Amino acid sequence: VSTMPGVDMINFHVENENDFTSYELTDMHGNSTSYPNGDITVFPAESGCYTLCVTTENGCSECKTLCVTLPDAMLSSIYPNPADGEVNIDYRLSRRISGGTIQIISANGVKMYSQAVTNTTKGKTMKGSLKLSTAAYAPGQYIVRILSSKGEVYDSKTLIVK
């Protein structure tokens, strides 16, 4: 069992793929998905363990487990980046927190934007998205960050405005 803290994507690659006939990935809740080949990418919605089992045509199986720990909040993607007029910010809030704040900070430390985000799913991981105009932003580099209710930075990414 391997543990990976703070990842938002798992990529399984099976060597000697032609030796195997089935690929099955099981999540921490026992939900299984079959895949047609040995290149499998998973975007986990919550922390937990994933087990990949591969089987040969004579019925021999081998399984490997990978456990991931996701942060309580993260910025999934910022696009388009560079931005020209508007930007989309996708984020995720874990079931362990009720909300946070998304901010955009200029290169010289000026807070350009601040928006509270709330987990409305009552005990489940929530994905959200914001669409913002960048028309009033000078061309340059900005930091987009998501903060806890106590002001701790969960995650940050760079945004370029044209």
Side-chain angles (χ1 to χ4, degrees), residues 62-73:
E62 184 174 342
C63 299
K64 296 289 182 184
T65 299
L66 179 66
C67 298
V68 295
T69 304
L70 298 177
D72 284 334

Side-chain angles (χ1 to χ4, degrees), residues 47-62:
S47 298
C49 296
Y50 295 80
T51 301
L52 176 65
C53 293
V54 294
T55 306
T56 63
E57 54 183 54
N58 65 3
C60 294
S61 294
E62 184 174 342

Side-chain angles (χ1 to χ4, degrees), residues 71-151:
D72 284 334
M74 64 189 290
L75 298 166
S76 306
S77 62
I78 298 173
Y79 61 95
N81 196 2
D84 187 12
E86 66 182 23
V87 65
N88 297 288
I89 301 170
D90 293 342
Y91 61 92
R92 185 191 62 76
L93 301 174
S94 83
R95 64 181 178 204
R96 294 185 298 269
I97 64 168
S98 60
T101 302
I102 293 179
Q103 294 180 340
I104 299 177
I105 309 297
S106 70
N108 59 357
V110 175
K111 188 185 311 177
M112 305 295 292
Y113 177 84
S114 184
Q115 173 69 50
V117 290
T118 305
N119 188 339
T120 58
T121 61
K122 299 201 181 351
K124 296 182 182 177
T125 297
M126 183 191 101
K127 294 179 182 179
S129 185
L130 298 173
K131 184 179 236 174
L132 308 173
S133 171
T134 59
Y137 292 23
Q141 205 170 37
Y142 295 82
I143 298 296
V144 179
R145 61 188 187 181
I146 188 164
L147 308 170
S148 73
S149 58
K150 296 177 183 171

